[in-house]
Amino acid sequence: MGGPTCAGIATDSPFTTVVHQFHRPLHPERFHQALRSLAQGCCRLRGQLWMAPAPECRILLRGAGPRVWLENVGPWPAYLDAPPPGLSSARETNATVRAIADAGHPSTVISATGEDLDADEITRLLTDCQLTEAEMKSGFTALADPFGLDTTHDIDSRRAS
């Protein structure tokens, strides 16, 4: 697996859907800034995020119009039985991150739908949100989290309270 992938899905309508996938965690503050631009230009956002402050957790992205919400839905499916061997080394080396970034493993996939979307601009915007090699090596879990994604929102446990 290489770097980010992006696919534009053509339709007969004036709306375009751009799907972007990459295999490094997102820097929370850079993504927070990029999300503003995405929300303004898209009528629909969907996806899953691999965020640096909560690397073991799958974050869902949903958006309609200018409203966007994120939800920590717990561990990545591949981690439900047991953490994969060498998880700490996966945080340190890009090659290992790419090697485990398949179905159920951490990766970011975002589908953006809007009128006259520029796929190249969305790719650039989201690619710039990824952690750099230096950030990957320096221990990124301590980055500030403007979203508060380090906790799982369990609806069933709130009902029981």
Side-chain angles (χ1 to χ4, degrees):
M1 269 182 205
T5 59
C6 181
I9 299 171
T11 65
D12 291 335
S13 79
F15 294 96
T16 303
T17 297
V18 176
V19 179
H20 184 80
Q21 178 178 17
F22 52 95
H23 305 289
R24 282 190 185 206
L26 299 175
H27 188 286
E29 292 170 343
R30 290 195 298 261
F31 183 69
H32 188 253
Q33 293 300 317
L35 198 52
R36 293 175 194 209
S37 296
L38 283 172
Q40 290 174 1
C42 296
C43 60
R44 180 180 166 195
L45 285 171
R46 297 284 184 267
Q48 68 179 21
L49 308 175
W50 185 15
M51 298 293 291
E56 291 87 8
C57 298
R58 186 170 167 240
I59 309 300
L60 294 185
L61 167 70
R62 300 287 180 254
R67 299 195 185 271
V68 176
W69 59 97
L70 304 176
E71 180 181 5
N72 181 337
V73 294
W76 290 93
Y79 297 173
L80 290 176
D81 294 328
L87 178 60
S88 63
S89 66
R91 291 184 187 146
E92 296 171 12
T93 64
N94 192 36
T96 305
V97 169
R98 285 191 196 131
I100 65 168
D102 58 4
H105 290 281
S107 67
T108 294
V109 180
I110 296 176
S111 170
T113 302
E115 203 168 355
D116 300 320
L117 291 182
D118 182 344
D120 291 336
E121 178 62 18
I122 290 174
T123 299
R124 185 201 57 76
L125 189 67
L126 293 173
T127 299
D128 289 349
C129 294
Q130 295 181 94
L131 293 180
T132 65
E133 190 69 33
E135 289 167 332
M136 293 284 292
K137 291 180 180 179
S138 69
F140 55 81
T141 56
L143 292 171
D145 181 4
F147 301 109
L149 296 172
D150 57 348
T151 59
T152 303
H153 301 288
D154 184 350
I155 294 171
D156 293 331
S157 69
R158 287 185 290 193
R159 286 186 193 142
S161 301

